[in-house]
Amino acid sequence: MTKLYVLGSGSRGNCCAVETEGMALLIDAGFSAREVERRAEAAGLAIDRIAGIALTHEHGDHACGAARLANRLSVPVITAPGTWSRLAPMMGGASHRPIGLCAQAEIGPFMVHACPTSHDAAEPVAIVVRTGNGTSVGVAYDLGRPTAAVRFLLQNLSAIVLEANHDEVQLRTSGYPPVVQQRIAGSGGHLSNRAAAALLAEVHHPGLSVVVLAHLSRLCNTAADARAAVAPALRRAGFGGELHVAEQDEPLGPIEVCAVLGPQLELAL
Ligand SMILES: [Zn+2]
Ligand SMILES: [Zn+2]
């Protein structure tokens, strides 16, 4: 069985984990090591089962706890080379495993795939974790726009954690200076609810059983607005799974993730 934990998501920290066969892989560590441990314990995720820490990019809300956690747990950090080159001076003795379009990393029962994203960081990536039991979880946030590579990476997955950062009208009326609004809405910024809905409708397939909306802006979005934008699009695409909205301050999960075939088909086979 594969479980997904979303320990928190938003501009003040992002961290989730995929657990299978008694081991777990952390995806982003955007809280202090102590806070990641506290949230893991609250959600029922055994911190000593973490086999590695995959990072989407070096921004503090995704990576600030990675060095301490990697060293404390003696586990590798899995990032794109450009991300590692920014983080390496702070990483102490932590080891690095590269990922990217041409590099996958095998960590215990997990195979970690990645592709570049459009965001204002050194070498940001979206990540897909595949497990030995046929489940696959994609994590994509801090997306200025959904590139062809991201749209391809997110196909045929069991579960997707996707940024639904802002409502476009709320962003325009937020009081943010125009330059900040442009950065958030621009191709190096963050995905709107509407763009998230379109991307999810595009990559939807019958095996998609879990969708988690993540990295919501506190000023320019609400869980209800994100859900209202995405749920109808998913429903029209035929989605019959679970739709969750991640919270900044409280962990979500564990959420059970089914293999892509789906339980009925597996039984029929
Ligand atoms: Zn970022
Ligand atoms: Zn972020």
Side-chain angles (χ1 to χ4, degrees):
M1 184 193 295
T2 298
K3 291 177 182 170
L4 170 64
Y5 299 78
V6 184
L7 299 185
S9 184
S11 60
R12 288 177 293 135
N14 295 273
C15 182
C16 58
V18 179
E19 181 190 66
T20 197
E21 297 175 34
M23 297 181 83
L25 186 85
L26 219 56
I27 303 161
D28 282 347
F31 302 101
S32 70
R34 179 178 295 195
E35 181 65 9
V36 170
E37 289 170 350
R38 188 191 72 74
R39 289 176 183 237
E41 189 180 348
L45 172 68
I47 200 86
D48 58 349
R49 300 285 170 82
I50 289 172
I53 303 170
L55 300 178
T56 57
H57 62 298
E58 73 276 17
H59 289 164
D61 60 319
H62 297 266
C64 72
R68 184 164 292 218
L69 268 176
N71 284 289
R72 196 178 285 175
L73 301 172
S74 298
V75 298
V77 177
I78 305 131
T79 74
T83 301
W84 182 252
S85 68
R86 290 283 173 88
L87 290 173
M90 289 88 78
M91 279 295 168
S95 63
H96 175 232
R97 301 283 300 275
I99 48 170
L101 276 180
C102 302
Q104 299 149 23
E106 189 173 358
I107 308 287
F110 305 103
M111 185 65 84
V112 187
H113 306 256
C115 79
T117 57
S118 174
H119 185 56
D120 55 1
E123 193 179 354
V125 294
I127 287 173
V128 163
V129 178
R130 297 185 191 279
T131 68
N133 60 11
T135 55
S136 47
V137 178
V139 177
Y141 23 47
D142 292 44
L143 302 173
R145 58 192 167 82
T147 58
V150 168
R151 284 153 50 204
F152 183 76
L153 186 77
L154 297 184
Q155 287 180 6
N156 292 314
L157 302 181
S158 322
I160 297 176
V161 180
L162 180 67
E163 173 172 62
N165 178 258
H166 58 274
D167 173 272
E168 287 158 342
V169 174
Q170 287 177 49
L171 178 62
R172 280 197 296 274
T173 56
S174 63
Y176 278 136
V179 65
V180 176
Q181 291 188 31
Q182 281 161 18
R183 187 200 156 256
I184 293 170
S187 62
H190 293 274
L191 212 60
S192 70
N193 291 346
R194 195 161 61 104
L199 177 56
L200 286 165
E202 179 184 330
V203 300
H204 175 269
H205 68 110
L208 180 65
S209 62
V210 173
V211 170
V212 181
L213 304 179
H215 216 304
L216 271 67
S217 163
R218 274 193 307 155
L219 262 187
C220 309
N221 210 355
T222 65
D225 288 325
R227 191 181 280 276
V230 168
L234 272 176
R235 207 166 36 241
R236 280 195 298 275
F239 180 67
E242 298 176 30
L243 176 62
H244 300 269
V245 182
E247 294 185 29
Q248 179 69 87
D249 297 323
E250 293 298 327
L252 202 71
I255 301 165
E256 197 174 322
V257 178
C258 301
V260 160
L261 272 178
Q264 291 92 346
L265 269 174
E266 276 182 303
L267 282 175
L269 292 171

